[in-house]
Amino acid sequence: MHAIGQGRPLVFLHGAGTFPGFEFARRIAFERRVIIPYHPGFGESGDSDLMTSIDGVVRHYESLFADLGLDDFDLAGFSLGGWIAAEFAAQEKSGVCRLALIAPAGLVVPEHPVPDLSIVIPQDLPGYLTHDPQIAHSYFPTVPDPAFDRSLGREMAALGRLLQKDPQGDPKLQGLLHRIRVPTLLLWGADDRMRPAAQADAWLAALPDVRLHLFPETGHLVFEERPEAADALLLFSTRSSSRPNSGRKRHG
């Protein structure tokens, strides 16, 4: 895992591909200690054939956070990491004070399904990741790079193991979200083609205390396309954790 900064801990759970890196964390680390673990089978973490479900990853993080002594922290998750973060925060004694979900996966929204990436040709992938494809292009090698290909292939294989039973999301997750009583922030790109922004309505309907910040002309890689999204996360996470739940939901 990576860690940077000082202050109250904020744990960030990454998405399915770690190749964009975590440069955004530097903006948050001025006021918070940011902890970024790699999921098993991703990035610098080892492989695990036992990790075949999101629930298994949640159990993994239960153990990791206990080992780190984290019992009072904020939790953020992007895409796949948002799914993991939501399921973790839904536990009765999660230790989470505030929750931020950035273009989260996990909910099954039949009227706004996620794309079948198996039919997306590689040349079109940047347009699924960002509103401006050139921004996504900057994270891919410009010449053949076998090491990059191996790393990305390994992460996609790990993702495949996790999603083999529920490729669109967890049908039971919507029924669990009412358990998340902590203040929650949704950050989403209005033009997200990986996780359609219209899915946000399902999260807003299910979470008790939630706010939505929608970024115009922004795709799936919210932090990479809109660096100011990190500032929105920092502002949310530095508010007093003693603020009572209002139950109100608004778009911003």
Side-chain angles (χ1 to χ4, degrees):
M1 67 180 185
H2 299 299
I4 187 175
Q6 301 294 327
R8 288 189 60 250
L10 185 154
V11 177
F12 177 82
L13 303 181
H14 63 76
T18 64
F19 61 89
F22 310 109
E23 190 64 25
F24 71 91
R26 298 186 186 279
R27 298 173 74 121
I28 303 171
F30 286 110
E31 297 187 42
R32 302 296 300 275
R33 179 157 180 79
V34 184
I35 300 170
I36 305 175
Y38 284 107
H39 312 323
F42 292 79
E44 298 174 28
S45 282
D47 294 323
S48 175
D49 292 335
L50 300 177
M51 292 295 166
T52 58
S53 69
I54 298 298
D55 184 66
V57 182
V58 171
R59 302 285 86 77
H60 164 78
Y61 280 126
E62 284 180 350
S63 298
L64 176 62
F65 297 163
D67 289 346
L68 295 174
L70 294 174
D71 54 9
D72 180 11
F73 62 101
D74 294 341
L75 182 62
F78 165 65
S79 196
L80 172 67
W83 181 353
I84 298 167
E87 297 225 7
F88 185 94
Q91 299 176 102
E92 182 179 356
K93 297 180 180 179
S94 68
V96 174
C97 297
R98 286 183 175 271
L99 176 67
L101 305 174
I102 302 93
L107 282 186
V108 179
V109 186
E111 59 271 30
H112 303 292
V114 300
D116 180 359
L117 294 182
S118 67
I119 62 175
V120 176
I121 60 175
Q123 296 90 322
D124 290 343
L125 183 59
Y128 279 81
L129 292 173
T130 51
H131 175 72
D132 178 358
Q134 291 306 312
I135 294 176
H137 272 297
S138 69
Y139 293 97
F140 289 90
T142 57
V143 297
D145 187 338
F148 180 92
D149 294 342
R150 285 194 301 270
S151 177
L152 184 58
R154 172 177 175 260
E155 293 185 342
M156 293 304 100
L159 176 66
R161 290 193 294 270
L162 292 177
L163 302 187
Q164 57 186 329
K165 294 181 181 178
D166 299 306
Q168 283 284 325
D170 183 356
K172 301 185 294 297
L173 179 58
Q174 189 157 10
L176 299 177
L177 294 182
H178 71 278
R179 300 179 183 176
I180 301 176
R181 309 303 301 182
V182 300
T184 303
L185 173 68
L186 281 175
L187 297 177
W188 221 304
D191 299 309
D192 192 335
R193 297 176 67 187
M194 284 284 193
R195 287 284 156 187
Q199 288 195 354
D201 288 337
W203 291 90
L204 290 170
L207 288 163
D209 184 6
V210 60
R211 302 290 185 272
L212 170 65
H213 193 140
L214 199 63
F215 292 89
E217 298 184 343
T218 304
H220 191 57
L221 298 182
V222 178
F223 290 124
E224 287 70 30
E225 195 157 25
R226 295 292 177 184
E228 64 269 25
D231 300 330
L233 174 57
L234 176 59
L235 178 63
F236 171 75
S237 67
T238 53
R239 291 172 180 167
S240 171
S241 59
S242 63
R243 177 176 174 236
N245 289 356
S246 66
R248 295 176 59 197
K249 307 173 185 183
R250 12 174 228 251
H251 295 253

